[in-house]
Amino acid sequence: MKKTFFTPGPAALYPTVHQHLIEGLTQQLFSQSHRSAAYQSIHAKAVSHVKELLGVPENFWVFFFSSATEIWERLGQNCLDQHSLHFVNGSFSRRFFDIVTALGHAPEKVETPWGESVNFDPQSLPHSPDLINFTLNETSTGVSLSLEEIYRFRAKYPEALVTLDMVSIAPYAAVDWSQVDAGYFSVQKCFGLPAGLGVLIAGPKALERAAAIQASGRNVGSYHSFASLLKYAQKNQTPETPNISAVYLLGKVCEDMLSKGIEQIRAETREKADMLYDFFAQHPSYELFVKTPTDRSPTVIVVNTRDDNKALLSRLAAEGLIVGNGYGPMKGKQLRIANFPAVSLEDVRRLINLLMN
Ligand SMILES: *Cc1c(COP(=O)(O)O)cnc(C)c1O
């Protein structure tokens, strides 16, 4: 039976991936040297399609990593001078804080309970932060932040770099890149690609910071230091042998999303999210986890189940619908439903029909 994945990563593959992968194999693209003109063309296309889809300005760079987790470590090494500030309201926002701590920094965190937005008006901070991270869409809880609030907060710390974890909401989020210094995602969520590629979009202020930190003699890592990434990106290459098939598929899927139109993708995402939220709000066996409607994520819908979810997940799986479990401490008690571009309105209707009974 063909399965439909509503899991928030790895997730359902974008419908055109199968055909693009076969095409890449047929053309033997994945055996070519990563120093060849053929690879440079694949790389350049992926970069330009990502930038166009996300509305990224000319003077921002796109760097490739193995995952978003790696990007956290590289940001910690290359962009964090003294004090970072982390708004923690779930597992992923927490993880960046933990990684920076493991690197030997002493980051600050402003915590709020799971299922709530962040506190944009924290008590006075002991240090003025030089890097502020926002997790735009907390995949563990289904909470989305307001970009306007982020821009307002940033105005208080004009010197700080603002980094945006967009892993489970890009390309849906319409980011104003004049307000953000770096944004990042990995491809196995909303882009509907096989896992194994992290993408960082870094602006001039982030690159200047990285250059200053390196010039001060600090350890910024080796092959994936920003200087090394930049040197190769200027040639449409990567320092190491990259995940060529992933870079190729990213370019192709972004091209498909561009032909569909980002506004169309956003409208469909909202329509599917509304159907799911409306259904769960009126069904007595479920309770929406995120109480404030404006905090509810359009791309990851989280609901509490009345009973342990095991029987329900198995019943859905028997029908070919694979739904995400609660994350971490919420395992067994919640459904997490990915509403990514790869799932159709028809898929969502089928899921709702099965959940109705
Ligand atoms: C999945 C996820 C990550 C981690 O991505 P990896 O590719 O597994 O490193 C980070 N942040 C958020 C919000 C995520 O959903």
Side-chain angles (χ1 to χ4, degrees):
M1 187 188 354
K2 190 171 179 293
K3 294 175 185 164
T4 304
F5 286 86
F6 287 93
T7 41
L13 296 186
Y14 200 68
T16 56
V17 168
H18 189 98
Q19 164 209 325
H20 290 314
L21 186 55
I22 293 191
E23 179 66 18
L25 292 168
T26 307
Q27 290 187 29
Q28 296 186 290
L29 300 182
F30 312 135
S31 303
Q32 301 176 118
S33 163
H34 58 297
R35 301 295 174 223
S36 66
Y39 174 74
Q40 288 173 303
S41 153
I42 290 171
H43 187 112
K45 276 194 189 125
V47 167
S48 80
H49 294 329
V50 164
K51 287 177 81 169
E52 188 180 345
L53 187 65
L54 271 57
V56 177
E58 274 294 299
N59 61 346
F60 277 58
W61 290 89
V62 174
F63 298 147
F64 296 128
F65 299 84
S66 64
S67 63
T69 304
E70 187 195 351
I71 292 173
W72 284 327
E73 179 158 300
R74 302 309 175 199
L75 285 172
Q77 290 170 316
N78 286 270
C79 291
L80 169 53
D81 186 12
Q82 297 283 327
H83 301 287
S84 57
L85 177 61
H86 302 258
F87 288 90
V88 172
N89 63 340
S91 284
F92 292 99
S93 41
R94 168 86 205 197
R95 194 83 204 284
F96 189 15
F97 173 87
D98 290 342
I99 285 179
V100 167
T101 308
L103 288 174
H105 294 287
E108 297 284 335
K109 64 176 186 298
V110 175
E111 263 184 301
T112 39
W114 283 46
E116 293 183 16
S117 184
V118 304
N119 175 8
F120 282 105
D121 194 15
Q123 301 285 307
S124 68
L125 302 165
H127 304 285
S128 184
D130 59 75
L131 185 152
I132 305 169
N133 185 74
F134 290 99
T135 304
L136 191 54
N137 198 67
E138 190 31 276
T139 318
S140 60
T141 65
V143 168
S144 261
L145 305 184
S146 142
L147 281 164
E148 293 307 319
E149 297 259 31
I150 291 173
Y151 306 154
R152 259 198 295 280
F153 188 84
R154 139 165 246 168
K156 296 188 204 171
Y157 299 99
E159 300 302 313
L161 294 182
V162 169
T163 63
L164 206 55
D165 178 336
M166 315 167 62
V167 176
S168 57
I169 198 157
Y172 175 89
V175 172
D176 174 356
W177 293 94
S178 72
Q179 301 282 347
V180 171
D181 301 297
Y184 51 95
F185 62 87
S186 43
V187 299
Q188 76 277 18
K189 310 259 165 117
C190 297
F191 287 83
L193 292 166
L197 188 69
V199 181
L200 174 71
I201 298 157
K205 201 166 142 184
L207 290 169
E208 281 162 29
R209 172 73 64 77
I213 289 177
Q214 185 166 29
S216 77
R218 287 243 300 272
N219 182 355
V220 292
S222 59
Y223 73 107
H224 273 180
S225 70
F226 278 28
S228 169
L229 289 159
L230 179 62
K231 177 178 146 203
Y232 284 94
Q234 283 164 340
K235 302 186 279 193
N236 285 308
Q237 290 184 4
T238 52
E240 79 285 38
T241 316
N243 187 340
I244 299 178
S245 55
V247 174
Y248 174 74
L249 291 175
L250 175 65
K252 286 292 180 186
V253 162
C254 286
E255 198 173 14
D256 295 336
M257 288 181 169
L258 283 164
S259 2
K260 179 163 187 167
I262 188 67
E263 283 312 328
Q264 180 66 20
I265 291 173
R266 286 180 183 138
E268 287 179 10
T269 302
R270 280 191 290 267
E271 185 181 0
K272 290 179 294 166
D274 287 347
M275 277 171 61
L276 286 162
Y277 281 119
D278 290 348
F279 167 74
F280 287 119
Q282 54 75 37
H283 198 293
S285 303
Y286 305 100
E287 180 193 20
L288 293 171
F289 181 51
V290 180
K291 296 291 170 274
T292 308
T294 49
D295 295 339
R296 287 177 192 151
S297 164
T299 52
V300 180
I301 287 94
V302 180
V303 293
N304 299 330
T305 51
R306 202 173 42 192
D307 309 312
D308 183 280
N309 66 18
K310 203 162 174 199
L312 175 60
L313 289 176
S314 315
R315 183 164 70 82
L316 294 170
E319 300 287 337
L321 299 188
I322 314 301
V323 171
N325 206 328
Y327 198 94
M330 306 313 275
K331 191 164 181 199
K333 303 175 192 162
Q334 294 184 331
L335 305 181
R336 276 184 320 137
I337 300 169
N339 175 31
F340 296 161
V343 300
S344 66
L345 197 64
E346 207 34 60
D347 295 331
V348 169
R349 284 208 187 97
R350 240 190 105 212
L351 175 63
I352 289 177
N353 277 332
L354 280 171
L355 288 171
M356 218 169 259
N357 310 298

